[in-house]
């Protein structure tokens, strides 16, 4: 008697929101650095002055103030500010926004590209804040410029058929490695335009994530968000290791829409 043929076993699909190692390491780094809040208040604020981004630090007039950190802080604070947060809810806002977009981006870029990208978008956010708050003394802290950059980069491929925000997606790795849209095609994609409209509206009206800490309390540094977002959107192609096929990315999102009838 012949035994029935064995059916092929379905390959288990990895959950779309499992965290890649690079993003896990980034979130853990934020959490470990936040332990500075356990320091005595004077020392804790000293860390913000040394590692937070202070526009007044770059003032060359006679009214310039000598801040802790010296000349070195003029360099490292373009990035180090993004690793500091005011409280747990501040971290939570940034991490929650980062989970879907940062996961896809970390899988696509790999660890080294991902960390460099986060640093570059943090610096772009700091530059935007410096331009718009030239003589401000309040330190800016928070990862939201980098988070905004990650969101902007991710939407270059997020809505393509098979990606993590499309209606027919594969597993997490496959969804993160679909060919991306070019920058010009991104600006002609209705879903991307809709996302941009919502994102800019939310940030301008409410602001999310980066905080400037001054005598009058914390205020949202939304210009830094826009700087990071713009850098992530424009610089994505410099970091992207996935080849862009000629016809696939161009038409994928429209095919995805037609698949839904």
């Amino acid at each position: 008697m012949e035994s029935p043929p064995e059916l092929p076993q379905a390959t288990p699909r990895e959950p779309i929101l499992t965290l890649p190692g690079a993003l896990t390491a980034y979130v853990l780094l934020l959490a470990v650095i936040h332990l500075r809040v356990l320091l005595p208040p004077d020392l804790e604020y000293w860390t913000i002055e040394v590692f937070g981004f202070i526009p007044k630090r770059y003032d060359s007039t006679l009214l310039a103030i000598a801040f802790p950190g010296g000349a070195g802080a003029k360099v490292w604070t373009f990035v180090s500010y993004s690793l500091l947060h005011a409280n747990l809810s501040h971290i939570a806002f940034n991490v929650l926004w980062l989970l879907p977009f940062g996961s896809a981006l970390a899988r696509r870029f790999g660890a080294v590209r991902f960390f460099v990208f986060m640093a570059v978008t943090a610096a772009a956010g700091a530059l935007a804040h410096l331009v718009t708050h030239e003589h401000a003394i309040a330190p800016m802290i928070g990862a939201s410029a980098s988070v905004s950059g990650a969101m902007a980069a991710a939407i270059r491929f997020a809505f393509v058929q098979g990606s993590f925000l499309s209606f027919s997606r594969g597993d997490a790795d496959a969804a993160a490695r679909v060919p991306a849209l070019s920058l010009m095609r991104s600006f002609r994609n209705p879903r991307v335009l809709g996302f941009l409209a919502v994102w800019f509206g939310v940030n301008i009206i409410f602001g999310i994530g980066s905080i400037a800490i001054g005598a009058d309390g914390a205020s949202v540094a939304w210009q830094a968000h826009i700087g990071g977002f713009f850098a992530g959107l424009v610089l994505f192609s410099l970091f992207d290791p996935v080849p862009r096929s000629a016809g696939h990315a161009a038409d994928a999102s429209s095919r995805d829409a037609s698949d839904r009838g």
Side-chain angles (χ1 to χ4, degrees), residues 76-152:
W76 68 59
T77 56
F78 268 90
V79 175
S80 61
Y81 82 93
S82 67
L83 303 176
L84 301 173
H85 290 82
N87 48 48
L88 289 177
S89 63
H90 190 198
I91 292 180
F93 268 118
N94 281 324
V95 170
L96 286 175
W97 280 92
L98 186 61
L99 287 180
F101 300 95
S103 293
L105 203 64
R107 291 180 189 281
R108 188 180 186 95
F109 283 178
V112 174
R113 280 190 178 93
F114 177 73
F115 290 133
V116 173
F117 178 86
M118 296 297 277
V120 168
T121 49
L127 181 60
H129 186 69
L130 177 61
V131 170
T132 55
H133 297 77
E134 186 177 0
H135 303 293
I137 299 177
M140 179 181 70
I141 59 175
S144 67
S146 295
V147 173
S148 299
M151 294 170 70

Side-chain angles (χ1 to χ4, degrees), residues 46 148 221 245:
W46 177 86
S148 299
S245 60

